[in-house]
Amino acid sequence: MSQSLGRALQILVSLGEGERSLDQLATELGVHKTTVLRLLRTMEAERFVRRDEAHRYRLGSRLFALADVAREQHVVRDVAAPHLRQLNQKTGQTVHLAAWENGEVVYIDKLDSVRSVRMYSQVGVPAALHCTAVGKVLLAAQPKRQREALLASMDYRAYTPNTITDADHLRDELAITSERGWAQDKAEHESFINCIGAPVKDHDGRIVGAVSVSVPDVLLNYDQVLELLPDLLATTKAITADYN
């Protein structure tokens, strides 16, 4: 661990015990005040800490937001786990669970195909918003203002000849996704992979996750992947029921 990162984490642990002054933090870390101040300024700019009028430091709002996300993802993953295993065993294909995190879609669970073919996706790694099924499901679920801001600022990288590369086309795709209740990735992210994804909802109807089934075209073509849609929707319905 880098020295600066280690000290920043020590600061967070200290502030978790209560407010501190600059002098107190410097004493606890055993370093000069200028070193601590440099770290605090960076952490304050990112809202990990906040400073009051008396120049005392407390934990910042960014941590509370991250804690809420972590708690929600933990719950969704735990509830979904047995249903994902059942879907994986029934279809024999790769199954993903993803969640929204700070403007990104992140894989929070993955069960590999029982076949020898493996996908490159990894737990903890963001999924492309514009060309993955889970990305489309969760992007479509965002409030219109936030969704439009993302559509305007997104890097529409063309991963394959089928990748959506402009905001208008993606906006239409998201509207279709919302209307029918599931999304497709028709060889848009990887040229040899077709994928379908559907949402998981909480008791208020808010989408808190997305499940997908991904299949190499050497095993099933796109139309055959669509035949797995009833299994996928049954899985997300079961997860939603248990989540509530």
Side-chain angles (χ1 to χ4, degrees):
M1 183 185 299
S2 74
Q3 195 172 52
S4 294
L5 176 57
R7 287 169 177 165
L9 293 175
Q10 282 183 269
I11 289 172
L12 294 178
V13 171
S14 293
L15 296 181
E17 297 172 354
E19 63 180 34
R20 296 285 195 277
S21 67
L22 176 60
D23 287 339
Q24 287 174 314
L25 288 170
T27 299
E28 290 181 11
L29 268 64
V31 297
H32 196 273
K33 288 191 295 184
T34 56
T35 300
V36 180
L37 184 59
R38 185 168 60 251
L39 292 171
L40 286 169
R41 284 174 174 168
T42 300
M43 297 167 75
E44 187 176 8
E46 297 295 330
R47 295 185 293 109
F48 284 103
V49 304
R50 63 185 178 89
R51 181 181 50 165
D52 63 20
E53 295 179 355
H55 299 284
R56 296 184 68 82
Y57 291 88
R58 296 179 172 84
L59 295 178
S61 61
R62 183 76 173 272
L63 284 171
F64 302 127
L66 289 175
D68 287 341
V69 169
R71 187 181 304 110
E72 183 175 89
Q73 289 187 1
H74 180 72
V75 172
V76 173
R77 181 173 175 169
D78 282 355
V79 172
H83 301 288
L84 298 181
R85 286 195 297 271
Q86 185 176 3
L87 180 62
N88 173 250
Q89 292 167 2
K90 184 173 184 179
T91 65
Q93 308 302 337
T94 301
V95 173
H96 292 104
L97 175 66
W100 188 262
E101 181 179 323
N102 298 323
E104 292 184 318
V105 171
V106 178
Y107 293 115
I108 59 175
D109 205 355
K110 176 186 178 182
L111 284 75
D112 282 313
S113 168
V114 299
R115 320 293 188 208
S116 59
V117 180
R118 293 290 183 269
M119 293 186 61
Y120 298 122
S121 54
Q122 296 179 340
V123 172
V125 174
L129 293 176
H130 65 299
C131 58
T132 63
V134 291
K136 292 175 187 176
V137 167
L138 293 169
L139 179 57
Q142 300 311 303
K144 183 177 180 180
R145 185 173 181 178
Q146 183 178 359
R147 185 172 65 247
E148 286 298 322
L150 287 166
L151 288 172
S153 62
M154 195 179 302
D155 175 18
Y156 291 90
R157 175 182 171 184
Y159 290 90
T160 78
N162 292 340
T163 304
I164 294 173
T165 56
D166 66 88
D168 288 340
H169 188 179
L170 182 56
R171 187 180 291 109
D172 291 342
E173 181 83 357
L174 297 178
I176 293 171
T177 295
S178 295
E179 183 177 351
R180 69 187 176 190
W182 59 274
Q184 67 176 10
D185 162 9
K186 195 173 181 181
E188 298 169 42
H189 187 246
E190 297 179 69
S191 60
F192 59 95
I193 298 287
N194 290 305
C195 182
I196 49 175
V200 174
K201 301 179 181 180
D202 66 10
H203 61 279
D204 293 321
R206 186 172 62 99
I207 294 176
V208 294
V211 177
S212 68
V213 178
S214 303
V215 189
D217 56 14
V218 296
L219 298 178
L220 299 175
N221 62 35
Y222 177 71
D223 289 337
Q224 290 171 316
V225 173
L226 287 184
E227 294 176 6
L228 303 178
L229 185 59
D231 292 327
L232 172 64
L233 295 179
T235 298
T236 53
K237 183 178 180 180
I239 298 171
T240 295
D242 283 357
Y243 189 85
N244 295 317

